[in-house]
Amino acid sequence: MKNLKNFWYACELSTNITKQPKKIIMFQQRFVLYRNSQGQVVALKDQCPHRGAALSMGWIDNDCIRCPYHGWQFQADGRCVDIPSNAPETPIPLKARVETYPIQEKYGFVWMFLGELPEAERPPLPSNLPEYLFTSMRPAPHVDLDHANYVRLMETNLDFAHVIAIHRKSFGQRIPLNSTVRYQVEEDDWSAVAKFTYASLNNPKKILNFLLGGRPQVTLRLSFYLPNFTLAEISVGGDTRFPIKFAVLAGYCPIDENTTSVKRILFRNTLPLPWLDKLFINLDCLLAQEDTVVIETLTPQSLPEPSEELHVAADALNITLRKLQQKYLAKGWSLEPSQGKSDDSNGHWAKHSAVLVN
């Protein structure tokens, strides 16, 4: 499977980036992120051009990062400004610099641009997320490590039909097994959304159903945003006065073809007490694990060609994701194979400095 370039990748939760260097890995390449004294996030390649040490093992000094091996100091623009072993009057070689990456923060995530497009031509960050998430819901962020391909994991969060099977022992048990799943997909150049309401078989005498006025409907509204971001909105209670709502924002950070660090923010409007965050995070992890144990078995892990798999009407949102991916791959917006296989590869979006041989 080819991976997209020239997009903003949701790579980390904002709360996880501090004034201490933080290593992240995407497509088998290391990056180091930290916050400067103004709170802005700085992103550089996690490799000193001197001897290749991981800068993420170093420390921050006057808004610059110091290499842990010889203490070389690099500014936020990647330029080396101090080599401690050299006399102060010794000029610093022009090649003593580290590749840097554009960064934005939005919706509680850090977004890194991987590509070569000038700023004015880059695709936008998601701009149409519902405001209620951030004004009336309690957020609870957490990170999971899954041994599965990031697009495969995205697809399960865009799949209305899997609920009756994968989640049959949890919340899927209230849904009829033979539910017909058909829906309309709304799409634009970078994203798509669809909504589906499930009938309920649950006993109307149960206390939750009684409080919600009978058998509560369950409505899912699922969205994706290229290249690696999804939103799942869950509403229980239909048109009742106080429906229970949950939502999950997820950024799928691809470590390699078969490993993904999933950054999740669970939102809820029920019991929005800080001390209950851990309880709801554990619940979210349990439900996500129901997906993961199945997704990890998919063969192959990387997406095959569309003609190599069977598709049904319930796959419409996933088919839209694949169609948009193919649209930009056809434009040449793909990472070269060498860019995703080796941390020492030369790539358009990761131009490496030469090792100095002074």
Side-chain angles (χ1 to χ4, degrees), residues 44-63:
L44 305 95
K45 182 167 180 62
D46 190 19
Q47 182 179 332
C48 179
H50 178 214
R51 290 292 182 266
L55 296 175
S56 57
M57 296 180 63
W59 68 97
I60 305 304
D61 178 9
N62 195 27
D63 280 351

Side-chain angles (χ1 to χ4, degrees), residues 195-326:
K195 183 169 68 173
F196 184 76
T197 297
Y198 302 90
S200 174
L201 287 181
N202 219 6
N203 188 337
K205 294 182 180 180
K206 287 191 175 182
I207 185 63
L208 174 60
N209 293 349
F210 174 78
L211 293 173
L212 293 172
R215 293 184 177 92
Q217 291 180 335
V218 178
T219 298
L220 290 186
R221 186 176 185 270
L222 305 178
S223 312
F224 73 80
Y225 306 85
L226 291 179
N228 71 328
F229 198 65
T230 65
L231 167 61
E233 300 170 79
I234 305 101
S235 180
V236 182
D239 296 327
T240 57
R241 185 176 180 183
F242 300 108
I244 295 175
K245 290 187 177 182
F246 296 93
V248 179
L249 283 177
Y252 304 82
C253 186
I255 294 175
D256 56 38
E257 283 292 305
N258 301 309
T259 315
T260 305
S261 179
V262 185
K263 327 292 182 173
R264 298 165 67 90
I265 303 178
L266 171 66
F267 295 85
R268 68 184 190 276
N269 72 344
T270 184
L271 301 175
L273 303 170
W275 60 273
L276 288 174
D277 286 354
K278 186 63 175 178
L279 172 67
F280 282 97
I281 287 173
N282 288 340
L283 175 61
D284 190 39
C285 289
L286 287 172
L287 296 178
Q289 184 62 19
E290 291 180 347
D291 291 327
T292 303
V293 295
V294 175
I295 303 307
E296 289 178 349
T297 69
L298 298 185
T299 305
Q301 273 294 303
S302 58
L303 294 185
E305 294 298 319
S307 60
E308 296 176 6
E309 288 189 320
L310 297 174
H311 306 284
V312 295
D315 300 323
L317 191 55
N318 279 333
I319 291 172
T320 303
L321 170 62
R322 296 189 186 192
K323 181 184 72 175
L324 286 180
Q325 287 175 321
Q326 290 300 318

Side-chain angles (χ1 to χ4, degrees), residues 7-12 23-31 33 101 103 110-114 228 252-256 259 261 263 335 339-343 349:
F7 278 96
W8 293 96
Y9 277 83
C11 66
E12 188 53 272
K23 179 179 72 175
I24 65 168
I25 301 174
M26 285 197 295
F27 302 116
Q28 298 187 26
Q29 296 209 36
R30 302 193 314 266
F31 306 87
L33 279 65
Y101 302 88
I103 288 289
V110 175
W111 306 73
M112 181 189 299
F113 185 77
L114 298 183
N228 71 328
Y252 304 82
C253 186
I255 294 175
D256 56 38
T259 315
S261 179
K263 327 292 182 173
L335 301 178
Q339 291 173 281
K341 288 185 177 180
S342 171
D343 194 60
W349 54 268

